[in-house]
Amino acid sequence: MSSTTSSSGSSPDVPDAPVGNASAAPSGIEMKVVAPSPGSSGARPVRTAGTKARAYPAYLAGKLGGAVVSLFAVLVTSFFLFRIIPGDPVKAMTRGMPTSAEQLATLRRQFGLDLPLWRQFTDYCAGALTGDLGMSYQFRAPVGELIAQKLPATLLLTGVAVVIYSALGLWLGTRSAWRRGGLGDRIGTGVALTLWSVPSFWLGLLLIITFSVGIGPVPGMFPTGGMESGGTSGLPYVLDVAHHMVLPVLTLVAVGYAQTLLVMRSSLLDEMGGDYLTTARAKGLRDDDVRRRHAVPNALLPTVTMAFINLGHVAAGSILVETVFSWPGLGGLFYQALSVPDLPLVQGLFVVFAGAMILMNLLADLLYPLLDPRVGR
């Protein structure tokens, strides 16, 4: 009886499998050996769909956790920050009225100002988490109701302004970057830098002097302040409100569009040196198509952040502009609350303003993976 062996010592019934090729495995399972790339110490890990599916929930949880921490920091800041403002709220409310020490003590006890600071803080946090922002010292009304009354006017004014200056800034920023170095780019960038550095209240005062009071040959064409003249309804009321909105909206647009233009221009200039744009042109695409379909979508992430921050400003309003134009919104209400100081109202408005910004930033973070799949992976 004889046996046959191969020169390599392996059984003749089992052929040698070539290194680096797929070999058959039991049960019909295909196994693939991936050779390591040159210079690497081993096989490169392959990111699968399951890995991506697990990555986004972790990304989402991190962003939600950050938003919760930020909101708690806002509650702490709003409570302690405004308590270092000089002034006694009770004495400010009773200014000009004969008030005894016993009456002042009764008011402090009524508003909870006689409690220890830690107790005031815990009561404030508990109320804020349940939607109870307290009672206004100045107006003797719930803070939530006062905010709800003034919010529509702020949303109308700043909402219209944000839509206009966001669209205008995106359009002008794109054209300025695509034709960088030209006359239009130099003029547009110079004007934007100038307006961005101008204080909004100062610009509003100039517009009032020029177009409300009238200067030289320019007659006064617009109201000096307020939201309506009164005594109108229907279409005349709408036109009257629009007439009052012209100057404050123009002030907000002049300052806001400049910021959007500069951010969009800078972001698009960073993308214009990309090889993918050269490839798109080599495929025969027109220059406008390259800009609209390839360059602009990739340059939108910083501008999306700016747009969502601006949407946060819609709820916060503009304290200075609303005060200058006597607009009956949250900005003017915040100024009135600071003058007392009306601590519950100031704290409630601060939480609403900051909460709107936190929410808009969270929405922008959640939108990023849809615009750029590399985010959150």
Side-chain angles (χ1 to χ4, degrees):
M1 182 173 63
S2 63
S3 61
T4 306
T5 57
S6 63
S7 60
S8 61
S10 60
S11 173
D13 298 329
V14 182
D16 293 336
V19 177
N21 294 335
S23 59
S27 304
I29 301 176
E30 183 178 320
M31 300 180 66
K32 187 174 182 180
V33 179
V34 181
S37 59
S40 64
S41 59
R44 182 178 58 188
V46 180
R47 178 162 290 185
T48 63
T51 305
K52 295 180 180 179
R54 291 190 300 270
Y56 184 74
Y59 171 81
L60 177 61
K63 295 302 179 182
L64 289 174
V68 172
V69 172
S70 298
L71 186 58
F72 178 74
V74 166
L75 291 176
V76 175
T77 304
S78 64
F79 180 83
F80 290 102
L81 176 64
F82 297 111
R83 273 165 174 73
I84 65 175
I85 298 176
D88 186 347
V90 174
K91 290 184 177 179
M93 286 187 296
T94 58
R95 184 180 296 114
M97 297 183 293
T99 309
S100 64
E102 291 76 10
Q103 291 173 323
L104 292 177
T106 301
L107 287 174
R108 289 191 178 91
R109 185 169 55 256
Q110 178 183 349
F111 292 121
L113 297 175
D114 61 329
L115 297 175
L117 195 60
W118 66 268
R119 177 66 182 278
Q120 295 183 42
F121 176 68
T122 55
D123 291 345
Y124 164 68
C125 289
L129 293 177
T130 58
D132 182 10
L133 299 176
M135 185 75 65
S136 170
Y137 299 161
Q138 184 179 8
F139 298 98
R140 303 297 179 90
V143 171
E145 292 183 5
L146 294 174
I147 293 175
Q149 292 173 5
K150 300 293 185 179
L151 184 59
T154 291
L155 293 180
L156 176 63
L157 177 65
T158 55
V160 170
V162 164
V163 170
I164 293 175
Y165 73 62
S166 295
L168 185 63
L170 286 173
W171 179 64
L172 292 178
T174 301
R175 294 181 62 87
S176 180
W178 205 252
R179 295 174 173 82
R180 64 188 184 281
L183 179 61
D185 177 34
R186 293 197 298 270
I187 294 176
T189 304
V191 172
L193 287 171
T194 302
L195 291 175
W196 197 7
S197 61
V198 170
S200 57
F201 72 91
W202 183 76
L203 181 60
L205 291 174
L206 287 182
L207 292 178
I208 289 176
I209 293 173
T210 305
F211 297 105
S212 293
V213 179
I215 182 172
V218 180
M221 297 177 288
F222 300 100
T224 57
M227 183 177 173
E228 56 177 311
S229 300
T232 57
S233 61
L235 182 60
Y237 172 78
V238 174
L239 296 177
D240 183 39
V241 173
H243 190 222
H244 284 75
M245 286 177 58
V246 171
L247 292 186
V249 167
L250 183 59
T251 303
L252 293 172
V253 168
V255 177
Y257 104 92
Q259 188 177 17
T260 308
L261 181 150
L262 293 173
V263 171
M264 185 62 191
R265 180 182 183 275
S266 175
S267 179
L268 188 55
L269 285 176
D270 290 340
E271 295 291 334
M272 286 177 61
D275 294 335
Y276 68 95
L277 297 184
T278 304
T279 303
R281 292 188 179 96
K283 290 166 58 179
L285 293 180
R286 296 184 300 116
D287 197 56
D288 287 343
D289 292 334
V290 173
R291 181 184 71 241
R292 184 178 64 256
R293 294 167 55 184
H294 296 279
V296 171
N298 284 284
L300 278 179
L301 283 185
T303 313
V304 166
T305 302
M306 182 65 62
F308 274 89
I309 290 175
N310 292 335
L311 288 176
H313 287 156
V314 170
S318 177
I319 298 174
L320 296 177
V321 172
E322 289 189 13
T323 302
V324 168
F325 288 96
S326 300
W327 189 263
L330 295 182
L333 185 63
F334 189 76
Y335 176 79
Q336 291 178 342
L338 279 176
S339 62
V340 173
D342 190 340
L343 294 181
L345 185 54
V346 169
Q347 291 169 177
L349 288 169
F350 186 81
V351 170
V352 170
F353 295 165
M357 298 299 297
I358 292 172
L359 177 61
M360 289 300 108
N361 276 281
L362 177 62
L363 292 178
D365 288 335
L366 299 183
L367 183 62
Y368 282 165
L370 302 179
L371 298 176
D372 189 345
R374 296 170 297 178
V375 179
R377 296 291 187 261

